[in-house]
Amino acid sequence: MAQNDIPIVEYTPLSDIPTILQDVRATFKSGLTKSLSYRKEQLKGLHNMIAENEDLFREASFLDLRKPPQELFLGETGIIKHECVEAIKNLDRWASPEKVKVSLINKFDDIHIRKDPVGVVLIIGTWNYPVNLLLIPAIGAIAAGNTVILKPSEVSPHVAKLVTELLPKYLDQRSYRIVNGAVPHTSALLDLKFDHIFYTGSGNVGKIIMAAAAKQLTPVTLELGGKSPAFVAKDGNINTIARRLAIGKFFNSGQTCIAPDYVIVERGVENELVKEMKKTLLEFYGAAPQTSPSYGRIVSKGHFHRLVQGLKNTQGEVVIGGDSQEDDLFIAPTLVLNVKPDDSLMQDEIFGPILPIMVVDSMEDGVDYVNSKDQPLALYIFSGNKKLVNHILDNTRSGSAVVNETMVQFTITTLPFGGTGPSGIGSYHGKKSFDTFSHERSTVIKSLGMERFNTVRYPPYSEKKIGWLDWLLYSKVKYAPNAANPGASKANL
Ligand code: NAD
């Protein structure tokens, strides 16, 4: 809804939802989406939808989030176009049957893994990168030969409206449809049977999605969030670290699932970090960030109040920013020094432009702290000390890890993107998206000839046949005593 209660995007009538699903399921059953040339045409359409309407996407993203064009390009439109091109270029290879190694007994058979589409996919997007988080999963689903229902986030209605208008002009409506709406619409979709549900958003809603999917035994991919830490060791160049932290945190006003949520800094360099952050923020956004065209806004009043409340309750020291303006949904880039583990800012994911800094006596204390919490979506380490970096990597868990940078993992589409444990289930991007929406169907094609070879499998059984079977099935993989398990004693073998 707009501030004056005029709906910006028209919600799909709830009663239409089952019919929309029936339609795309009928298309899937017809086999239309199986052809690789059809899939490539659709991916071209998706690419062109972005490429030919960049201005409209700029306008819609500005209205929803005051998103600067460069952030739209880097975080959304550029990567969508790139993923489309990659999928089109590689589709023949990704979709071709994968040969596997076999035993002597299967030498003359055709044994492979088929990459079959899973069927009808539901993609539920969220609002912070509303184009990207709806369409990048769709690229994988289309490439893998599925039909798709897309549910844009109602919290970014201008983008939802634009995608709803454009999609039918570029993609085949028989195969790919949009359902708009809020919680009742998502709930109505979840009551129906899909073949895969791909959800991006909060863990709380993720649990609702997974529970609904479980009723139908529908597989899910859940792209969730969490508190992603950034370790700052004493040895690094603090000026560079400040810049790389600032771009990660204040891009999209901190409303990024992989933004560094908080900093764990080694005692002794915290004041220098604050000083360098001040310089950096002045350089990035000027003395009045509210007037900077490079700085976005909070998506809604609800999120604005949540963030301002977090700042009010903190026991830490606000050393940069802290000011906000409700009618502009503006919160200044803010640093809060000396937060303690029980601070209001250290409980839930911040998802806004507030960066708490926790000072620790050693990086080991930081590792212990991170390990006492849920596994985060991302983990950042700033240090030139390889031993320390490896120690932190070896002794923590997270969806992704980046050393001496922030956020870049998202743009490297050959890396799977996803969480672990409470930060998510499954991953996507590039080929991984194709795999996510494909079923790996183990396929054995034998001829009806050479029946004599088969007699070793048939009764009457004998010791001789066991010997033959051992040779035919397993002679290529001979057991190496103690090699795989050096700790095992001979007596156990
Ligand atoms: P959200 O989870 O509230 O909403 C996302 C979608 O869920 C919407 O389409 C909405 O209609 C639906 N939804 C909301 N409540 C529902 C309910 N009760 N029942 C059924 N459907 C419901 O979005 P949010 O929490 O504001 O998103 C922010 C979170 O998303 C953060 O935790 C962030 O880290 C995470 N996120 C993760 C990624 C990622 O790629 N891992 C990307 C962006 C955001």
Side-chain angles (χ1 to χ4, degrees):
M1 293 279 183
Q3 305 290 353
N4 54 7
D5 283 346
I6 297 171
I8 290 162
V9 60
E10 201 177 312
Y11 286 0
T12 308
L14 284 168
S15 56
D16 285 2
I17 293 176
T19 318
I20 294 173
L21 176 60
Q22 268 169 26
D23 290 351
V24 293
R25 191 168 286 291
T27 304
F28 180 72
K29 282 190 179 152
S30 77
L32 180 69
T33 56
K34 292 247 170 99
S35 131
L36 294 187
S37 58
Y38 175 86
R39 301 183 204 177
K40 286 180 199 166
E41 273 312 302
Q42 300 303 313
L43 291 168
K44 269 185 214 160
L46 199 54
H47 174 276
N48 294 345
M49 176 178 120
I50 300 293
E52 291 169 12
N53 298 285
E54 195 86 41
D55 285 350
L56 295 178
F57 279 105
R58 285 185 179 193
E59 201 181 303
S61 307
F62 183 85
L63 290 167
D64 282 336
L65 285 147
R66 196 81 71 86
K67 198 170 273 209
Q70 187 166 327
E71 293 193 358
L72 177 70
F73 173 79
L74 251 183
E76 309 208 63
T77 52
I79 188 168
I80 296 171
K81 286 185 286 182
H82 175 73
E83 286 250 4
C84 284
V85 172
E86 283 291 292
I88 294 166
K89 266 187 4 201
N90 292 303
L91 189 57
D92 290 334
R93 188 166 52 84
W94 293 348
S96 61
E98 191 183 319
K99 288 274 176 201
V100 291
K101 284 190 176 171
V102 293
S103 305
L104 281 176
I105 202 165
N106 298 114
K107 266 285 172 239
F108 301 106
D109 305 328
D110 175 3
I111 298 192
H112 59 262
I113 303 167
R114 286 171 62 97
K115 307 298 169 76
D116 283 357
V118 293
V120 185
V121 169
L122 171 63
I123 295 172
I124 304 173
T126 192
W127 50 264
N128 58 336
Y129 292 83
V131 200
N132 174 332
L133 299 172
L134 191 69
L135 298 186
I136 291 196
I139 293 169
I142 294 170
N146 302 284
T147 56
V148 188
I149 291 184
L150 298 136
K151 161 67 180 69
S153 173
E154 68 276 23
V155 182
S156 45
H158 293 91
V159 167
K161 181 170 186 270
L162 179 61
V163 174
T164 307
E165 284 165 5
L166 292 178
L167 206 89
K169 297 182 186 159
Y170 290 88
L171 292 192
D172 186 346
Q173 284 297 278
R174 291 173 295 173
S175 308
Y176 316 109
R177 298 287 295 277
I178 292 192
V179 168
N180 273 299
V183 175
H185 299 77
T186 317
S187 307
L189 284 163
L190 292 173
D191 283 340
L192 303 173
K193 166 87 181 135
F194 286 87
D195 298 298
H196 193 105
I197 299 176
F198 188 105
Y199 165 80
T200 305
S202 66
N204 285 338
V205 177
K207 287 177 191 164
I208 296 172
I209 306 284
M210 198 164 170
K215 286 193 190 145
Q216 316 263 16
L217 282 183
T218 303
V220 290
T221 303
L222 301 178
E223 296 286 335
L224 311 176
K227 285 185 88 61
S228 300
F231 287 86
V232 176
K234 267 186 192 163
D235 67 85
N237 175 333
I238 299 291
N239 171 273
T240 305
I241 294 172
R243 297 163 68 81
R244 295 184 185 187
L245 270 176
I247 191 63
K249 182 68 187 188
F250 301 111
F251 195 94
N252 205 27
S253 275
Q255 300 163 115
T256 305
C257 54
I258 49 167
D261 186 273
Y262 63 99
V263 173
I264 293 173
V265 63
E266 223 171 351
R267 194 174 301 286
V269 284
E270 67 272 25
N271 292 329
E272 193 186 348
L273 182 63
V274 172
K275 194 180 93 196
E276 292 300 331
M277 280 294 248
K278 264 186 194 156
K279 275 206 279 186
T280 300
L281 292 174
L282 193 64
E283 181 194 333
F284 283 8
Y285 308 115
Q290 197 168 356
T291 61
S292 165
S294 302
Y295 191 66
R297 292 295 182 270
I298 305 306
V299 73
S300 67
K301 286 205 170 164
H303 282 283
F304 176 89
H305 289 302
R306 176 182 62 77
L307 289 161
V308 168
Q309 199 57 41
L311 257 185
K312 267 192 194 143
N313 294 342
T314 181
Q315 301 293 309
E317 187 190 342
V318 177
V319 284
I320 302 178
D323 43 320
S324 58
Q325 191 182 324
E326 182 179 345
D327 56 8
D328 192 26
L329 295 177
F330 166 80
I331 298 181
T334 297
L335 246 71
V336 185
L337 188 58
N338 285 322
V339 295
K340 301 284 179 258
D342 59 357
D343 195 274
S344 60
L345 295 174
M346 295 305 287
Q347 307 316 309
D348 298 315
E349 181 181 357
I350 293 173
F351 220 54
I354 302 167
L355 186 61
I357 300 177
M358 200 163 77
V359 183
V360 291
D361 291 326
S362 74
M363 289 283 95
E364 199 54 42
D365 289 349
V367 168
D368 288 345
Y369 177 76
V370 168
N371 286 334
S372 72
K373 301 285 166 192
D374 284 346
Q375 297 106 281
L377 188 58
L379 181 144
Y380 300 102
I381 306 167
F382 287 94
S383 173
N385 178 343
K386 275 192 184 161
K387 212 170 142 197
L388 174 68
V389 166
N390 282 331
H391 177 78
I392 298 175
L393 288 174
D394 285 346
N395 290 285
T396 52
R397 290 183 293 171
S398 62
S400 59
V402 178
V403 177
N404 293 324
E405 233 333 333
T406 54
M407 303 248 283
V408 290
Q409 70 272 45
F410 190 80
T411 58
I412 303 168
T413 54
T414 41
L415 283 176
F417 184 82
T420 171
S423 55
I425 295 174
S427 59
Y428 70 129
H429 280 196
K431 178 168 186 301
K432 194 75 195 171
S433 297
F434 177 88
D435 294 342
T436 290
F437 295 109
S438 297
H439 170 59
E440 292 200 325
R441 190 173 179 193
S442 296
T443 307
V444 178
I445 301 177
K446 290 177 85 80
S447 85
L448 281 172
M450 298 204 288
E451 180 62 359
R452 268 189 49 191
F453 274 106
N454 252 6
T455 54
V456 291
R457 291 172 53 223
Y458 299 155
Y461 301 138
S462 67
E463 286 301 325
K464 199 171 166 196
K465 283 186 177 177
I466 293 176
W468 273 105
L469 282 170
D470 190 26
W471 184 70
L472 284 166
L473 281 166
Y474 307 122
S475 62
K476 288 176 81 179
V477 191
K478 273 299 164 201
Y479 191 56
N482 277 348
N485 182 5
S489 74
K490 275 199 171 162
N492 290 336
L493 290 173

